[in-house]
Amino acid sequence: MEKTVNIYPVSNLDKRDHERLYFYHFIGGNSSETDSLVEQLRDLREQNNLLIGVFRFPFRFEGKKRWQTATKQYFLMKEWCNAVIYFQSDDLMELIDQDTTIRDAQNTFKSIEDDSIQSIKKLINETGEMNIDYHDLENFTSNFKGPLFSHTVEGESFDTPLKYLIEKPYLPHDFTDGEQLMINIGYTQDVNMESFRQINLRLHDLFSKADLFKIGSYFINEPGERFKITLIVNGLKDPVNVPTDHKQDSKYHDLLTKWKRGIEKGKRRFNFIKN
């Protein structure tokens, strides 16, 4: 079966800030992994990293107990990460048929999750005419604590409604109702200004409820008229309710409180020495 945890650092020697961006991928449901989940997330945050969690909920058919454990783990991840991207296994299941092997299914699910990670990596690593960088992402995630989602769509023609091109089974149901939006538009050699204007207008209409944080654009040195659009939305709703005993879990609450106090104390000490 697939590894429960994968940690993805973004390393770019030419852009030192990017070394502070980490993606933490976790498959929820195993109660024996809760302690290590918190410890690893805490260690990553203590290094002042920008930490984005990628969380996958288990299948409903795996049982109520496993689902309850995953729900608790999700909210623990949300407390320690700057933002969380979540996937529902039941929604990912719609991408495969009943004859798909377990191995092939896991590879499919993993590739979808990796696409979301790679789209954000590419967003800050590839400089365009109007560039979105690490600090934009840092500020973007600081405005809303919790779920965000990154999705890329491309095509030569957008004659059909954009919502049909963007819709995927694994996207959050409130994806187009997010509070904040960041757009990165790639365009090939033959895209004209009218096409560029129309695609922007249609995106604004589709995400009418979201505040536009920033629009980036970059040139794709290929012939033809084609767009590649990456959308990052945050301010989404949590996919599950907070467990009734979540706030009573003093072990992790005290750990988080001590960590926050340590950070604040360190900042005050630094400012005192600086002044």
Side-chain angles (χ1 to χ4, degrees), residues 58 115 142 265:
D115 284 345
S142 67
K265 185 177 180 181

Side-chain angles (χ1 to χ4, degrees), residues 20-38:
R20 293 170 48 212
L21 173 60
Y22 278 78
F23 294 88
Y24 186 98
H25 178 263
F26 185 82
I27 302 173
N30 291 328
S31 58
S32 62
E33 296 171 343
T34 302
D35 287 347
S36 61
L37 166 68
V38 174

Side-chain angles (χ1 to χ4, degrees), residues 39 41 46 56 86 97 104 153 232:
E39 290 171 3
L41 292 176
E46 282 181 345
R56 188 196 303 174
Y86 70 84
D97 58 50
D104 288 344
V153 60
I232 301 183

Side-chain angles (χ1 to χ4, degrees), residues 91-133:
D91 293 336
L92 290 170
M93 193 80 160
E94 295 184 33
L95 300 172
I96 61 175
D97 58 50
Q98 60 183 5
D99 296 325
T100 303
T101 65
I102 294 175
R103 181 177 178 82
D104 288 344
Q106 293 290 1
N107 288 338
T108 298
F109 302 159
K110 188 67 166 51
S111 68
I112 296 297
E113 293 162 337
D114 284 347
D115 284 345
S116 185
I117 293 172
Q118 293 301 325
S119 66
I120 297 178
K121 285 184 178 182
K122 188 173 183 179
L123 190 76
I124 65 173
N125 279 331
E126 292 190 5
T127 303
E129 295 87 354
M130 296 173 61
N131 189 43
I132 295 172
D133 58 24

